C-alpha cells in the first residue's frame, strides 16, 4: 500500500492541507507543526507523487526537450554529436535544479502540443529550426519555451544561440589571411533565416571584405552527417574547380570531407586546407587535428536551462536573447599559402 | 479551463467510468456508446492526462533510462558516443510504441528509487554496470527492469548484452593471425564481473590459444574517453615494451591512442597496429579507418525496449537474456607482419 498524504496528516495529527503547505513551502507553518509533519513523512517513508503535483500546480519538474529529426523515421538523432553534447549539458544542469528532462526526437508538430499537455511540462527547450507553422502552434502551450539555434523573432520565445554569420565569417577570413582565394563552402541544407543560411552569409561577407568574388558553384549543399561530408568532397573534386581550401559549416561535414579527400589521395593540409564549425570533442583527436570555430556547446545547454528556469520562476519575464561567443581554434588542417 | 473526464461524460450522457472504459479499452462497450464518447472527446478537445493515468493504473507511458556517470558531477555523459547511439535507438523504438523516455545520468542509487516512485515509471532500462548494492535496491521498485551491458545474474533483471570476452578474443586473434605476438591491451577501469574485465579475459584466451604468454605489464588501464586513449599510448611508448599492436577495449580509447601515436611520430599501421571495440559511427571516418569489432549498438537499444515492453505486457515474464552477435570489421589500422 502506497503511503498517501492523508496517512501523513493522520500520523502528524494535522490536516492534509497543512501537510501540503509544509511540503511545498507555500505558506508559513509553525516550526513545531513543521517538525511533526516531517517526522511523519520520514516514519512513513512518504514520497510525494510528482505526477499528482503536476495535475494541480503546473509543477511537474519535467522539462521537454525537442530535437529535430533530420529524416522521418531516422533513429540516429545523435549521429551529430553536437546534439548529444547539448543534451548532456541540459540534462546535467536541469538535474542540479531538481528537474528531469523528457527528450523527443520529433518533428515538432501538433502531436507535441498534446504531449506537453499530457505531461504537464513546466517548460520546453527546442533545439534547431522548424517550419514557421510550428512556432505558431507551440505558443498555444502557454508555457515557457527557450529556442536554441533559432532565428525565430516571435516575442513569445527566448533565444539562446551564437552569431552564426560571424562564425563562418571568422573561418573564411582565417583562410583568406592564410592566402587562400579559391575557397569552397560545404553547408547543410539551407532554409530562409536558418542557421545554415546565416553561415553562408558570413562566408560571403568575408569574401567581399577581401574582394574575392562570390561564385555559387563553390557552394556544396548536403545533409549534415559524415556521409554527406564524404560526398561533398567528391563533388568538389569532380567539379574540377581549383579550390585550395574548404569552409565546412559543421565539423561533422569537415570530418567526412577529410575522409573523402584522403580516400581520393588528396592530402590535408598539403593539397587542400579545411576548417570546420562547432569544435566537437572528436575534432581535436583527428589526424591532423581540425582547425575550426569553437562554439561552447555545453554552455549553450547550460544557458538554455538557466533561462527556462528563470522564466518558470518569473512568469512575466519578457523575451530574452543570449548570444554566446565564438573562438577560432587553430590545429593542423589549414596550410598557409 | 482544462476539459476533464467529467465534462466528456456529461456531454456524452454517460458516466465518467464509461468514458474511462472507452478510452483505455479495458471493457467492451457498445459501439453506439463508444461513438458518443469519442464524439464528445473530439468536440471538447479532451486530452487524457498521462500523469493522472500514472496514478491509478501504473501506466504512465514513461520509461526511465539510467546512464552511468563516470565521475561525480561529470556532465559529459555523452562524450562516449556509444551512449548517445544506444539512447537514440531507445528513444526511437520507445516512441514507436507510444512511450516517452526519462534519461538520468545518475549514479543509480536510493534517490533513483524515489524518482521511479515519483514518476510512476512503467519500466527502467539500466545501461552499464553498478555496485552490487544498486541491484539489491532497484528490485524494490517492483517494476520491470532491463539491464544493458551488465553481468548481474539476479533473476529479477532481464539482460541485453554481447559476449564481451568473445569480442576481445576475436580482436586479439585477428592480430595474432596477422603475425603480431607482442600485443598491448588498452582497457577501461576493470571491476569484478564487469564488461571490461570480460574483455581482458577474451584477450588472455586468444593469447593462450596462440601459446603467447600473458604479461600484466602489457595491460594499460584508464577511464574510457579520448584523453585516456592519448595517455595510454604515451604510457606504452614510455614503457619501452616492444609492442607491435594494441587491442583497445573501446573505439574511443583506440581513437585517442591513434592521436597519441601520431603526435609521437609513431605511424599507424606502419609502426604500430591498433584494433578497437564497438564500431562507433566515427570509426569508419578516421584516417586510417579503424579496424574494430562491431557490436550492433542500435540493435541493443531496440532489443532493450522490446524486452521491457514485453515484460510490461506480460507481468509474469521470467528472466530473459538476449546476447547480440559481434563481427570483425577490417579497415586500415592493422598491418600484416
Amino acid at each position: 500500500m502506497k503511503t498517501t498524504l492523508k496517512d501523513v496528516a493522520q500520523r502528524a495529527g494535522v490536516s492534509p492541507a497543512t501537510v501540503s503547505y509544509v511540503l511545498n513551502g507555500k505558506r508559513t507553518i509553525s516550526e513545531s507543526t513543521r517538525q511533526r509533519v516531517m517526522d511523519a513523512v520520514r516514519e512513513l517513508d512518504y514520497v510525494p507523487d510528482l505526477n499528482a503535483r503536476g495535475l494541480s500546480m503546473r509543477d511537474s519538474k519535467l522539462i521537454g526537450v525537442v530535437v529535430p529529426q533530420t529524416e522521418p523515421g531516422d533513429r540516429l538523432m545523435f549521429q551529430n554529436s553536437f546534439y548529444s553534447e547539448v543534451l548532456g549539458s541540459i540534462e546535467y544542469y536541469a538535474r542540479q535544479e531538481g528537474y528531469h528532462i523528457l527528450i523527443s526526437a520529433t518533428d515538432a508538430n501538433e502531436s507535441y502540443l498534446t504531449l506537453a499537455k499530457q505531461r504537464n511540462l513546466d517548460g520546453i527547450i527546442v533545439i534547431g529550426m522548424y517550419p514557421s507553422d510550428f512556432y505558431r502552434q507551440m505558443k498555444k502551450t502557454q508555457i515557457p519555451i527557450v529556442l536554441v539555434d533559432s532565428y525565430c523573432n516571435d516575442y513569445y520565445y527566448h533565444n539562446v544561440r551564437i552569431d552564426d554569420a560571424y562564425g563562418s565569417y571568422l573561418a573564411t577570413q582565417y583562410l583568406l589571411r592564410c592566402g587562400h582565394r579559391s575557397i569552397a563552402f560545404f553547408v547543410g541544407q539551407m532554409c530562409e533565416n536558418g542557421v545554415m543560411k546565416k553561415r553562408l552569409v558570413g562566408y560571403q561577407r568575408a569574401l567581399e571584405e577581401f574582394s574575392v568574388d562570390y561564385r555559387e558553384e563553390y557552394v556544396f549543399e548536403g545533409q549534415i552527417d559524415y556521409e554527406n561530408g564524404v560526398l561533398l568532397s567528391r563533388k568538389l573534386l569532380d567539379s574540377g574547380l581549383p579550390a585550395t581550401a574548404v569552409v565546412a559549416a559543421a565539423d561533422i561535414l569537415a570530418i567526412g570531407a577529410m575522409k573523402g579527400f584522403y580516400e581520393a589521395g588528396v592530402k590535408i593540409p598539403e593539397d587542400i586546407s579545411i576548417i570546420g564549425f562547432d569544435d566537437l570533442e572528436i575534432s581535436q583527436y583527428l589526424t591532423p587535428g581540425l582547425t575550426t570555430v569553437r562554439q561552447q556547446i555545453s554552455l549553450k545547454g547550460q544557458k538554455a536551462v538557466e533561462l527556462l528556469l528563470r522564466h518558470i520562476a518569473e512568469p512575466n519575464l519578457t523575451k530574452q536573447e543570449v548570444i554566446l561567443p565564438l573562438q577560432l581554434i587553430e590545429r593542423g588542417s589549414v596550410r598557409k599559402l
Side-chain angles (χ1 to χ4, degrees), chain A residues 162-176 180-191 194-207 212-224 228-237 239 241-254 257 261 272-278 291-293:
Chain A
I162 53 174
D163 184 339
D164 290 278
Y166 180 66
S168 54
Y169 166 82
L170 275 182
T172 312
Q173 185 198 47
Y174 177 76
L175 292 177
L176 289 159
H180 296 277
R181 289 298 176 269
S182 196
I183 302 172
F185 189 60
F186 289 2
V187 64
Q189 288 184 322
M190 290 185 280
C191 56
V195 160
M196 287 294 145
K197 192 65 179 279
K198 301 283 181 192
R199 294 187 188 178
L200 176 69
V201 168
Y203 163 77
Q204 293 170 319
R205 198 192 302 159
L207 291 181
V212 174
D213 284 343
Y214 166 69
R215 291 170 57 188
E216 216 174 304
E217 63 265 36
Y218 276 80
V219 176
F220 294 82
E221 196 174 343
Q223 297 287 340
I224 303 178
N228 273 273
V230 176
L231 292 177
L232 297 188
S233 70
R234 286 191 198 139
K235 279 192 187 167
L236 174 59
L237 295 176
S239 74
L241 290 169
T244 61
V246 175
V247 175
D251 274 10
I252 196 166
L253 280 178
F261 287 129
I272 197 159
S273 293
I274 189 162
I275 185 167
F277 196 122
D278 281 339
T291 295
T292 190
V293 175

Side-chain angles (χ1 to χ4, degrees), chain A residues 252-303:
Chain A
I252 196 166
L253 280 178
I255 294 169
M258 287 170 81
K259 182 69 180 178
F261 287 129
Y262 171 82
E263 282 176 343
V266 174
K267 284 191 186 135
I268 293 169
E270 294 82 355
D271 302 327
I272 197 159
S273 293
I274 189 162
I275 185 167
F277 196 122
D278 281 339
D279 197 26
L280 300 179
E281 193 69 32
I282 181 70
S283 299
Q284 64 181 294
Y285 294 103
L286 302 170
T287 48
L290 180 63
T291 295
T292 190
V293 175
R294 174 181 293 166
Q295 55 165 316
Q296 293 166 283
I297 303 179
S298 165
L299 188 62
K300 236 180 195 176
Q302 180 181 351
K303 290 295 174 190

Side-chain angles (χ1 to χ4, degrees), chain A residues 77-93:
Chain A
M77 70 164 177
F78 289 125
Q79 203 210 356
N80 187 346
S81 46
F82 171 81
Y83 290 110
S84 44
E85 291 184 29
V86 170
L87 283 173
S89 170
I90 289 174
E91 195 280 334
Y92 176 79
Y93 289 103

Side-chain angles (χ1 to χ4, degrees), chain A residues 16 36 70 106 118-119 128 140 153 182 203 205 233 243 250 255 258 263 265 281 285 316 318 329 331:
Chain A
R36 274 214 315 281
T70 47
T106 175
Q118 283 178 334
R119 296 288 182 200
K140 295 186 189 165
N153 282 320
S182 196
Y203 163 77
R205 198 192 302 159
S233 70
I255 294 169
M258 287 170 81
E263 282 176 343
E281 193 69 32
Y285 294 103
N316 296 320
T318 53
I329 304 293
R331 297 199 182 101

Side-chain angles (χ1 to χ4, degrees), chain A residues 93 146 160 298-308 322 324:
Chain A
Y93 289 103
V146 173
V160 175
S298 165
L299 188 62
K300 236 180 195 176
Q302 180 181 351
K303 290 295 174 190
V305 170
E306 284 175 7
L307 194 47
L308 191 67
V322 178
L324 298 174

